[in-house]
Amino acid sequence: MKMKIRNKITLIFVLLTALLLLSVFLYIYFSVENYTEREFNLRLKQRASIAAQAYLEKDELSTGIYEEIRKKHLQILPNEQERILKANVNEETLISPNVLPLKKEFFDRVFHTGHAQTRIGKDYFTAILYQDNQGDFMVILSAEDRYGAKKMQNLFRTLLTAYVLSLIILFVIGRYYAKGVLKPISDITDQVNRIRAKNLHLRLANRRKKDELGELSQTFNNMLDRLETSFEMKNSFVNNASHELRNPLTAIIGQTEVALDNARSEQEYVATLQTIEKEASRLNELVNALLGLAHIENDSKSLIIDDVRADELLMELKMSFDIPTYKRINFDFQFLPKDSNKLIFKGNHDLIRVALLNIIDNALKYSKNGNIDLGIRVQERTILISIKDEGIGIPKDDLKNMFEPFSRGSNARSYKGFGFGLPLSHKIVQLHGGELKVDSEIGKGTHVLVQLPIMNESFEIAR
């Protein structure tokens, strides 16, 4: 079962804070425990020193002073025991027998440092060396720190209670905080779920433009813009394709029905067949154009990539036209680079040829008998191919749709064509990682600029 993000955020928040609190509480507990032990050991050391003075120097003290010492310092501790063992400091050995559960290492430490302390179970042991006119002695004092143990138990219960209550409070706060943090995402989800194909014009409300959620909303809106444009283009394409396909089919069917309705003369049958041939040719051109566009979009992986030289390709295109058309094409070579290698780019020769041929053919068709100018220049790592004509131009309102199939300028209806040339060229240039720009003005002509990157050996057609 998948956990919701709100629960994940709450859990992570509680776990991280719980680990932090646990670290702090453990630090407090062990710090207090360490301080309590050091304090108790210090008390034992002081009591051991007083006990040594009380017992070993009792004969040298007045009775009043001794009693005063006992009243001030020798309060009985729980399970307190005092032992004075005779020792030989020079040989570092005990003369008196050891009846305590203390190891030899403990006594060695006393002989070397003059003091040692340890803990065995609940009992604390402290030992000191004491030199007296009667000889060398080791004073050992042991006791149980019941007060410190109770203090630590109380501290443990207090910290445990505070830890559990903190976790509960943290869970409630984390739950509320996670809900508040994710509310904008929930709002975005609700808004997106309300958007369907019929209301793609709707957009997400973006009140948080400067944070990540604002960027997410803007990204969704940008995606919806693209989807809306894609749907509009699809609907426009389907409508235009249906219309263009229906017209020649209707003409063919109508001419056939008329010819079969009654017996006709040979001339009438010939005229009918010529009409059918004309409409069938038109239908064939349209189907080929549709298939060509589909082939470019779906079969780009099988394309062969070669070195293509831009100036030679343009000369090849010019040579493919007849003499009258050939004379209308002018080359501008003044911006050619000195290094001819800069005119070479990676691409599919046949596709680029089709793209440029479509653009030049449009320039020739819409400029009537006017000339067109072809130019090449290299800018940084980009080859710029310029095609200018002095034709009818394209209305500004139609420029934004020029790369959509079946799209034609409102002033070009009287010219033969389906509106596939420029969209196909645009798609081919895009496949080569380039860009196609169109600048036009009615009555003054059109300027098409093809930008192709100079690629390296690792170039691949854009998928």
Side-chain angles (χ1 to χ4, degrees), residues 44 46-52 54-55 66 70 73-77 79-85 99-100 125-126 138-143:
L44 286 181
Q46 292 173 345
R47 292 174 69 88
S49 177
I50 296 172
Y55 287 102
Y66 175 69
R70 290 188 61 85
H73 303 286
L74 299 184
Q75 298 90 353
I76 301 300
L77 295 175
N79 200 20
E80 180 180 0
Q81 294 182 5
E82 298 173 349
R83 293 176 178 84
I84 300 176
L85 304 179
V99 295
L100 298 172
F125 292 85
T126 296
M138 184 179 292
V139 181
I140 302 174
L141 192 70
S142 65

Side-chain angles (χ1 to χ4, degrees), residues 11-69:
L11 182 60
I12 292 173
F13 174 73
V14 172
L15 285 178
L16 291 177
T17 312
L19 288 174
L20 178 62
L21 283 177
L22 182 61
S23 302
V24 173
F25 286 175
L26 287 176
Y27 175 76
I28 293 174
Y29 180 83
F30 287 113
S31 296
V32 173
E33 184 181 46
N34 184 52
Y35 174 79
T36 302
E37 287 189 359
R38 284 190 290 108
E39 183 185 35
F40 189 71
N41 284 322
L42 180 61
R43 290 177 61 192
L44 286 181
K45 184 179 179 181
Q46 292 173 345
R47 292 174 69 88
S49 177
I50 296 172
Q53 294 179 32
Y55 287 102
L56 298 176
E57 299 182 10
K58 184 175 180 181
D59 56 329
E60 301 173 8
L61 294 174
S62 66
T63 304
I65 296 176
Y66 175 69
E67 291 298 328
E68 184 179 353
I69 292 175

Side-chain angles (χ1 to χ4, degrees), residues 210-243:
K210 295 183 179 181
D211 59 9
E212 289 79 0
L213 292 177
E215 293 178 0
L216 177 63
S217 298
Q218 188 59 45
T219 301
F220 269 114
N221 287 336
N222 293 338
M223 181 190 69
L224 290 171
D225 289 339
R226 294 192 296 271
L227 284 175
E228 185 179 16
T229 302
S230 177
F231 268 82
E232 290 176 353
M233 290 176 61
K234 178 182 177 182
N235 292 334
S236 175
F237 178 83
V238 171
N239 293 334
N240 290 328
S242 301
H243 176 74

Side-chain angles (χ1 to χ4, degrees), residues 245-256:
L245 289 170
R246 190 182 297 114
N247 286 344
L249 286 175
T250 301
I252 291 173
I253 293 172
Q255 290 292 326
T256 304

Side-chain angles (χ1 to χ4, degrees), residues 255-321:
Q255 290 292 326
T256 304
E257 289 177 348
V258 170
L260 295 175
D261 188 36
N262 294 306
R264 305 289 177 181
S265 64
E266 182 179 348
Q267 291 80 5
E268 289 176 325
Y269 280 124
V270 170
T272 300
L273 289 174
Q274 289 176 343
T275 303
I276 292 174
E277 180 187 20
K278 178 181 177 182
E279 295 298 332
S281 298
R282 182 184 173 194
L283 183 61
N284 183 59
E285 290 178 8
L286 179 59
V287 171
N288 287 336
L290 288 170
L291 290 176
L293 187 61
H295 174 76
I296 294 298
E297 292 180 346
N298 300 325
D299 198 28
S300 60
K301 292 183 179 179
S302 61
L303 297 177
I304 299 175
I305 305 303
D306 294 315
D307 289 337
V308 182
R309 183 163 167 170
D311 56 341
E312 292 179 355
L313 178 58
L314 289 180
M315 288 298 299
E316 177 187 332
L317 288 172
K318 180 176 180 179
M319 296 295 294
S320 66
F321 291 101

